[in-house]
Amino acid sequence: MAECGGHRGSTPWDRARELARGLGERWGCPIGVLPSASALGGRLADDLRALVGSPSFDASAMDGYAVRGMGPWRPVGVRLAGVPVSEVCLAEGEAVEIATGALVPKGTEAVLPYEAATVVKDRIHGEVERGRHVRWSGEEIVPGESVLPAGAEVTPAVLGLAAALGHDLLRVRMPRVEVLVTGDEIAVEGLPGAGVVRDAIGPMLDGVVAWAGGCAVRTRHLGDGREELSAALAEAEADVVVVCGSSSKGPADHLRAVLREAGAEVVVDGVDCRPGHPQLLAHSDDTVFVGLPGNPNAALVASLTLLVPLLSGMLGRTEPTAGAGRKPLVGEVRGRPGRTSLVAVRLGPAGAVPVGHDRPASLWGAALAEAYAVVPPEGPGEDVELLRLPRPPYGA
């Protein structure tokens, strides 16, 4: 087991991300049963099977007339979608005026759209093709059919498909994440006063967790006491516990000592990057712990360094930070010997343009930016790796 003393800061930034993802892949993710609307971003634990057919009943695909035979037809009623109707069976030469989505009468052979119909002396004239403009029950999906395999990501389209096929609950693999924000100086509402700051990390992390495919089950605010932190970690029931603040070396930073007492194994103890140097990744037998700095921008960088790769690895998905490629970095940006720099940028035709306002305590730059430019210690070179910043829709 690694020593849980003061952080050494010896893990290179890219290596820390590899370690976080590797731990997630080895750890895997338990199965939970969630309401469909809460499963967005997870992975299906089982094949998604149809509880009903699609369509689930014979329905009109057009506004017009449900008809039997070749016509002309005698109108015998009207049907609207969603309106209860008594069962009727069309006889040869009969028609029912019908709305799109309404249940067609028994005996219907086709639907004649309004635009193809002519009404003359209480008779409906037109040409139809047998079976045309009717959504026949089960013609797309039959009851019991498997429509998606286990492991498929739960996207908005998957949620809609599951609902259409009768599912209220889904069995999914989705890491449960609890967030602990520490600090006697933290306020959760209202205007901060002298010596008091509003919590910016808690509101931010809900979106980061969802974007990475996790479920933020609870955010708690703690003081700086060691006993309070120890009790909170012992009570946590999530797969991943994120501790914000308490990860550096100050007198109020107790996370390492608490984890040492609990027998946790440390995987990453400090990362050679700026901002976000005081990071921590550790685990017990049943919980993974991620320590983030107390400054909001530093915490965001650290969450993209350790938390997002960890959750993506647990789900076996590509990290959502990927895909922005590489671009030249516009302007004079120097490397920092021994440390990777994460620079907030907008992306334009000329390359990645720094937006500024990216001090460790400020999220202004990240709010303006589309990505972080990853500047290695030796400097940007011809181009830089780009790390996407979280954007809605989270979990899609």
Side-chain angles (χ1 to χ4, degrees):
M1 184 181 70
E3 176 59 37
C4 292
H7 65 79
R8 297 176 294 277
S10 59
T11 305
W13 177 81
D14 52 357
R15 177 57 178 159
R17 298 185 77 239
E18 291 175 359
L19 289 169
R21 182 173 182 93
L23 177 61
E25 291 173 346
R26 295 191 303 275
W27 201 267
C29 183
I31 296 171
V33 179
L34 296 176
S36 296
S38 301
L40 184 66
R43 296 278 177 165
L44 293 175
D46 310 302
D47 287 1
L48 182 65
R49 296 187 177 277
L51 302 182
V52 295
S54 178
S56 58
F57 58 88
D58 297 337
S60 175
M62 300 285 286
D63 294 327
Y65 302 92
V67 300
R68 182 172 182 179
M70 297 307 296
W73 302 274
R74 179 172 61 87
V76 295
V78 177
R79 284 201 173 182
L80 302 177
V83 177
V85 293
S86 57
E87 189 53 66
V88 173
C89 182
L90 290 179
E92 187 81 14
E94 291 184 336
V96 165
E97 190 173 7
I98 196 164
T100 300
L103 173 70
V104 300
K106 287 185 177 180
T108 296
E109 294 178 348
V111 168
L112 176 68
Y114 282 136
E115 55 267 30
T118 303
V119 180
V120 180
K121 294 182 180 181
D122 199 30
R123 287 294 184 270
I124 301 164
H125 298 259
E127 295 184 2
V128 295
E129 178 183 342
R130 187 180 180 89
R132 186 72 168 153
H133 300 310
V134 178
R135 300 169 182 156
W136 300 105
S137 173
E139 70 176 6
E140 181 179 10
I141 301 171
V142 299
E145 183 177 353
S146 175
V147 296
L148 289 174
E153 185 172 358
V154 181
T155 65
V158 170
L159 291 181
L161 176 62
L165 297 179
H167 290 273
D168 297 316
L169 302 173
L170 290 175
R171 279 169 42 89
V172 296
R173 298 185 184 276
M174 173 178 275
R176 297 168 302 139
V177 180
E178 181 168 338
V179 176
L180 304 177
V181 180
T182 68
D184 290 331
E185 77 282 11
I186 301 297
V188 297
E189 60 184 4
L191 296 176
V196 177
V197 296
R198 276 289 299 270
D199 172 30
I201 299 177
M204 174 185 72
L205 282 182
D206 280 356
V208 173
V209 169
W211 185 63
C215 176
V217 296
R218 182 168 63 163
T219 297
R220 300 175 60 187
H221 293 83
L222 312 177
D224 283 322
R226 177 170 170 168
E227 292 75 15
E228 187 178 8
L229 177 60
S230 180
L233 292 181
E235 294 167 2
E237 296 180 351
D239 307 304
V240 178
V241 177
V242 181
V243 181
C244 310
S246 199
S247 64
S248 191
K249 297 190 292 185
D253 296 312
H254 305 299
L255 180 58
R256 285 168 179 76
V258 170
L259 291 178
R260 181 175 62 242
E261 291 175 354
E265 180 176 346
V266 174
V267 178
V268 174
D269 189 0
V271 178
D272 289 331
C273 70
R274 183 190 182 280
H277 172 63
Q279 304 179 41
L280 180 73
L281 179 65
H283 67 86
S284 62
D285 290 340
D286 54 8
T287 308
V288 180
F289 303 96
V290 178
L292 304 182
N295 282 321
N297 188 38
L300 178 56
V301 168
S303 71
L304 302 187
T305 302
L306 294 181
L307 179 60
V308 171
L310 171 74
L311 297 178
S312 298
M314 293 174 84
L315 288 165
R317 63 179 289 184
T318 301
E319 292 169 36
T321 52
R326 303 180 68 92
K327 283 183 178 291
L329 187 58
V330 177
E332 292 294 327
V333 179
R334 297 179 180 178
R336 292 177 174 268
R339 290 193 177 183
T340 298
S341 298
L342 284 297
V343 179
V345 295
R346 297 285 297 180
L347 306 180
V353 182
V355 299
H357 310 296
D358 55 357
R359 293 180 176 179
S362 175
L363 287 171
W364 189 4
L368 293 170
E370 298 173 76
Y372 282 123
V374 181
V375 182
E378 63 273 15
E382 292 185 1
D383 55 26
V384 290
E385 177 186 356
L386 296 170
L387 205 65
R388 285 192 186 276
L389 279 163
R391 288 272 188 229
Y394 301 120

PDB file of all heavy atoms in Angstrom, residues 274-293:
ATOM      1  N   ARG A 274      -0.775  22.285 -13.641  1.00  0.00           N
ATOM      2  CA  ARG A 274      -1.234  23.557 -13.129  1.00  0.00           C
ATOM      3  C   ARG A 274      -2.380  24.048 -14.015  1.00  0.00           C
ATOM      4  O   ARG A 274      -2.246  24.066 -15.231  1.00  0.00           O
ATOM      5  CB  ARG A 274      -0.116  24.604 -13.133  1.00  0.00           C
ATOM      6  CG  ARG A 274      -0.564  25.933 -12.526  1.00  0.00           C
ATOM      7  CD  ARG A 274       0.445  27.038 -12.752  1.00  0.00           C
ATOM      8  NE  ARG A 274       0.003  28.270 -12.120  1.00  0.00           N
ATOM      9  CZ  ARG A 274      -0.907  29.099 -12.640  1.00  0.00           C
ATOM     10  NH1 ARG A 274      -1.465  28.814 -13.802  1.00  0.00           N
ATOM     11  NH2 ARG A 274      -1.256  30.207 -12.006  1.00  0.00           N
ATOM     12  N   PRO A 275      -3.525  24.433 -13.381  1.00  0.00           N
ATOM     13  CA  PRO A 275      -3.815  24.302 -11.947  1.00  0.00           C
ATOM     14  C   PRO A 275      -4.189  22.862 -11.613  1.00  0.00           C
ATOM     15  O   PRO A 275      -4.253  22.018 -12.502  1.00  0.00           O
ATOM     16  CB  PRO A 275      -5.003  25.252 -11.761  1.00  0.00           C
ATOM     17  CG  PRO A 275      -5.720  25.195 -13.071  1.00  0.00           C
ATOM     18  CD  PRO A 275      -4.643  25.079 -14.120  1.00  0.00           C
ATOM     19  N   GLY A 276      -4.443  22.600 -10.338  1.00  0.00           N
ATOM     20  CA  GLY A 276      -4.933  21.295  -9.932  1.00  0.00           C
ATOM     21  C   GLY A 276      -3.904  20.345  -9.394  1.00  0.00           C
ATOM     22  O   GLY A 276      -4.143  19.136  -9.324  1.00  0.00           O
ATOM     23  N   HIS A 277      -2.748  20.861  -8.952  1.00  0.00           N
ATOM     24  CA  HIS A 277      -1.667  19.979  -8.480  1.00  0.00           C
ATOM     25  C   HIS A 277      -2.077  19.065  -7.319  1.00  0.00           C
ATOM     26  O   HIS A 277      -1.813  17.854  -7.362  1.00  0.00           O
ATOM     27  CB  HIS A 277      -0.468  20.849  -8.080  1.00  0.00           C
ATOM     28  CG  HIS A 277       0.632  20.096  -7.414  1.00  0.00           C
ATOM     29  ND1 HIS A 277       1.340  19.102  -8.049  1.00  0.00           N
ATOM     30  CD2 HIS A 277       1.157  20.206  -6.167  1.00  0.00           C
ATOM     31  CE1 HIS A 277       2.259  18.618  -7.223  1.00  0.00           C
ATOM     32  NE2 HIS A 277       2.166  19.279  -6.081  1.00  0.00           N
ATOM     33  N   PRO A 278      -2.741  19.536  -6.250  1.00  0.00           N
ATOM     34  CA  PRO A 278      -3.032  18.652  -5.110  1.00  0.00           C
ATOM     35  C   PRO A 278      -4.255  17.761  -5.360  1.00  0.00           C
ATOM     36  O   PRO A 278      -5.375  18.060  -4.947  1.00  0.00           O
ATOM     37  CB  PRO A 278      -3.274  19.630  -3.958  1.00  0.00           C
ATOM     38  CG  PRO A 278      -3.756  20.863  -4.609  1.00  0.00           C
ATOM     39  CD  PRO A 278      -3.095  20.935  -5.953  1.00  0.00           C
ATOM     40  N   GLN A 279      -4.034  16.674  -6.077  1.00  0.00           N
ATOM     41  CA  GLN A 279      -5.084  15.705  -6.373  1.00  0.00           C
ATOM     42  C   GLN A 279      -4.765  14.380  -5.700  1.00  0.00           C
ATOM     43  O   GLN A 279      -3.612  14.096  -5.384  1.00  0.00           O
ATOM     44  CB  GLN A 279      -5.197  15.469  -7.876  1.00  0.00           C
ATOM     45  CG  GLN A 279      -5.435  16.697  -8.712  1.00  0.00           C
ATOM     46  CD  GLN A 279      -5.517  16.360 -10.187  1.00  0.00           C
ATOM     47  OE1 GLN A 279      -6.121  15.359 -10.591  1.00  0.00           O
ATOM     48  NE2 GLN A 279      -4.909  17.190 -11.019  1.00  0.00           N
ATOM     49  N   LEU A 280      -5.793  13.559  -5.560  1.00  0.00           N
ATOM     50  CA  LEU A 280      -5.598  12.265  -4.907  1.00  0.00           C
ATOM     51  C   LEU A 280      -6.548  11.242  -5.507  1.00  0.00           C
ATOM     52  O   LEU A 280      -7.720  11.536  -5.767  1.00  0.00           O
ATOM     53  CB  LEU A 280      -5.875  12.389  -3.400  1.00  0.00           C
ATOM     54  CG  LEU A 280      -5.706  11.101  -2.585  1.00  0.00           C
ATOM     55  CD1 LEU A 280      -4.231  10.767  -2.435  1.00  0.00           C
ATOM     56  CD2 LEU A 280      -6.351  11.264  -1.214  1.00  0.00           C
ATOM     57  N   LEU A 281      -6.049  10.044  -5.732  1.00  0.00           N
ATOM     58  CA  LEU A 281      -6.865   8.908  -6.166  1.00  0.00           C
ATOM     59  C   LEU A 281      -6.495   7.727  -5.290  1.00  0.00           C
ATOM     60  O   LEU A 281      -5.319   7.342  -5.210  1.00  0.00           O
ATOM     61  CB  LEU A 281      -6.607   8.583  -7.637  1.00  0.00           C
ATOM     62  CG  LEU A 281      -7.375   7.389  -8.224  1.00  0.00           C
ATOM     63  CD1 LEU A 281      -8.877   7.660  -8.234  1.00  0.00           C
ATOM     64  CD2 LEU A 281      -6.875   7.083  -9.639  1.00  0.00           C
ATOM     65  N   ALA A 282      -7.486   7.165  -4.606  1.00  0.00           N
ATOM     66  CA  ALA A 282      -7.241   6.051  -3.691  1.00  0.00           C
ATOM     67  C   ALA A 282      -8.472   5.149  -3.674  1.00  0.00           C
ATOM     68  O   ALA A 282      -9.529   5.505  -4.209  1.00  0.00           O
ATOM     69  CB  ALA A 282      -6.937   6.574  -2.280  1.00  0.00           C
ATOM     70  N   HIS A 283      -8.336   3.997  -3.051  1.00  0.00           N
ATOM     71  CA  HIS A 283      -9.499   3.101  -2.940  1.00  0.00           C
ATOM     72  C   HIS A 283      -9.366   2.198  -1.731  1.00  0.00           C
ATOM     73  O   HIS A 283      -8.265   1.843  -1.298  1.00  0.00           O
ATOM     74  CB  HIS A 283      -9.666   2.267  -4.213  1.00  0.00           C
ATOM     75  CG  HIS A 283      -8.558   1.280  -4.451  1.00  0.00           C
ATOM     76  ND1 HIS A 283      -8.559   0.014  -3.908  1.00  0.00           N
ATOM     77  CD2 HIS A 283      -7.412   1.374  -5.179  1.00  0.00           C
ATOM     78  CE1 HIS A 283      -7.465  -0.626  -4.291  1.00  0.00           C
ATOM     79  NE2 HIS A 283      -6.746   0.186  -5.066  1.00  0.00           N
ATOM     80  N   SER A 284     -10.545   1.841  -1.194  1.00  0.00           N
ATOM     81  CA  SER A 284     -10.641   0.775  -0.200  1.00  0.00           C
ATOM     82  C   SER A 284     -11.109  -0.468  -0.936  1.00  0.00           C
ATOM     83  O   SER A 284     -11.019  -0.543  -2.164  1.00  0.00           O
ATOM     84  CB  SER A 284     -11.627   1.181   0.897  1.00  0.00           C
ATOM     85  OG  SER A 284     -12.926   1.365   0.353  1.00  0.00           O
ATOM     86  N   ASP A 285     -11.645  -1.439  -0.212  1.00  0.00           N
ATOM     87  CA  ASP A 285     -12.117  -2.655  -0.882  1.00  0.00           C
ATOM     88  C   ASP A 285     -13.374  -2.414  -1.702  1.00  0.00           C
ATOM     89  O   ASP A 285     -13.629  -3.136  -2.664  1.00  0.00           O
ATOM     90  CB  ASP A 285     -12.403  -3.749   0.160  1.00  0.00           C
ATOM     91  CG  ASP A 285     -11.132  -4.285   0.798  1.00  0.00           C
ATOM     92  OD1 ASP A 285     -10.052  -4.110   0.188  1.00  0.00           O
ATOM     93  OD2 ASP A 285     -11.218  -4.849   1.907  1.00  0.00           O
ATOM     94  N   ASP A 286     -14.182  -1.405  -1.329  1.00  0.00           N
ATOM     95  CA  ASP A 286     -15.469  -1.231  -1.997  1.00  0.00           C
ATOM     96  C   ASP A 286     -15.757   0.199  -2.468  1.00  0.00           C
ATOM     97  O   ASP A 286     -16.838   0.458  -2.992  1.00  0.00           O
ATOM     98  CB  ASP A 286     -16.613  -1.686  -1.096  1.00  0.00           C
ATOM     99  CG  ASP A 286     -16.592  -1.011   0.269  1.00  0.00           C
ATOM    100  OD1 ASP A 286     -15.786  -0.088   0.463  1.00  0.00           O
ATOM    101  OD2 ASP A 286     -17.385  -1.416   1.135  1.00  0.00           O
ATOM    102  N   THR A 287     -14.825   1.119  -2.300  1.00  0.00           N
ATOM    103  CA  THR A 287     -15.068   2.514  -2.657  1.00  0.00           C
ATOM    104  C   THR A 287     -13.817   3.125  -3.258  1.00  0.00           C
ATOM    105  O   THR A 287     -12.705   2.853  -2.804  1.00  0.00           O
ATOM    106  CB  THR A 287     -15.487   3.342  -1.429  1.00  0.00           C
ATOM    107  OG1 THR A 287     -16.585   2.706  -0.765  1.00  0.00           O
ATOM    108  CG2 THR A 287     -15.908   4.760  -1.830  1.00  0.00           C
ATOM    109  N   VAL A 288     -14.016   3.950  -4.286  1.00  0.00           N
ATOM    110  CA  VAL A 288     -12.920   4.732  -4.857  1.00  0.00           C
ATOM    111  C   VAL A 288     -13.044   6.164  -4.351  1.00  0.00           C
ATOM    112  O   VAL A 288     -14.143   6.727  -4.307  1.00  0.00           O
ATOM    113  CB  VAL A 288     -12.953   4.709  -6.397  1.00  0.00           C
ATOM    114  CG1 VAL A 288     -11.793   5.535  -6.959  1.00  0.00           C
ATOM    115  CG2 VAL A 288     -12.871   3.281  -6.913  1.00  0.00           C
ATOM    116  N   PHE A 289     -11.924   6.760  -3.965  1.00  0.00           N
ATOM    117  CA  PHE A 289     -11.903   8.118  -3.447  1.00  0.00           C
ATOM    118  C   PHE A 289     -11.111   9.014  -4.399  1.00  0.00           C
ATOM    119  O   PHE A 289     -10.006   8.656  -4.824  1.00  0.00           O
ATOM    120  CB  PHE A 289     -11.256   8.161  -2.058  1.00  0.00           C
ATOM    121  CG  PHE A 289     -11.922   7.265  -1.056  1.00  0.00           C
ATOM    122  CD1 PHE A 289     -11.413   5.984  -0.806  1.00  0.00           C
ATOM    123  CD2 PHE A 289     -13.060   7.662  -0.382  1.00  0.00           C
ATOM    124  CE1 PHE A 289     -12.020   5.143   0.103  1.00  0.00           C
ATOM    125  CE2 PHE A 289     -13.678   6.828   0.531  1.00  0.00           C
ATOM    126  CZ  PHE A 289     -13.157   5.564   0.781  1.00  0.00           C
ATOM    127  N   VAL A 290     -11.692  10.159  -4.717  1.00  0.00           N
ATOM    128  CA  VAL A 290     -11.021  11.147  -5.550  1.00  0.00           C
ATOM    129  C   VAL A 290     -10.929  12.438  -4.748  1.00  0.00           C
ATOM    130  O   VAL A 290     -11.951  12.976  -4.315  1.00  0.00           O
ATOM    131  CB  VAL A 290     -11.778  11.401  -6.866  1.00  0.00           C
ATOM    132  CG1 VAL A 290     -11.065  12.469  -7.694  1.00  0.00           C
ATOM    133  CG2 VAL A 290     -11.906  10.114  -7.669  1.00  0.00           C
ATOM    134  N   GLY A 291      -9.717  12.921  -4.528  1.00  0.00           N
ATOM    135  CA  GLY A 291      -9.517  14.177  -3.835  1.00  0.00           C
ATOM    136  C   GLY A 291      -9.256  15.293  -4.830  1.00  0.00           C
ATOM    137  O   GLY A 291      -8.377  15.182  -5.681  1.00  0.00           O
ATOM    138  N   LEU A 292     -10.044  16.375  -4.723  1.00  0.00           N
ATOM    139  CA  LEU A 292      -9.892  17.517  -5.615  1.00  0.00           C
ATOM    140  C   LEU A 292      -9.463  18.742  -4.815  1.00  0.00           C
ATOM    141  O   LEU A 292      -9.808  18.881  -3.637  1.00  0.00           O
ATOM    142  CB  LEU A 292     -11.221  17.830  -6.323  1.00  0.00           C
ATOM    143  CG  LEU A 292     -11.881  16.708  -7.127  1.00  0.00           C
ATOM    144  CD1 LEU A 292     -13.146  17.233  -7.780  1.00  0.00           C
ATOM    145  CD2 LEU A 292     -10.932  16.143  -8.176  1.00  0.00           C
ATOM    146  N   PRO A 293      -8.753  19.672  -5.448  1.00  0.00           N
ATOM    147  CA  PRO A 293      -8.393  20.908  -4.759  1.00  0.00           C
ATOM    148  C   PRO A 293      -9.635  21.724  -4.390  1.00  0.00           C
ATOM    149  O   PRO A 293     -10.719  21.523  -4.942  1.00  0.00           O
ATOM    150  CB  PRO A 293      -7.543  21.655  -5.794  1.00  0.00           C
ATOM    151  CG  PRO A 293      -7.149  20.630  -6.804  1.00  0.00           C
ATOM    152  CD  PRO A 293      -8.237  19.615  -6.822  1.00  0.00           C
TER     153      PRO A 293
END
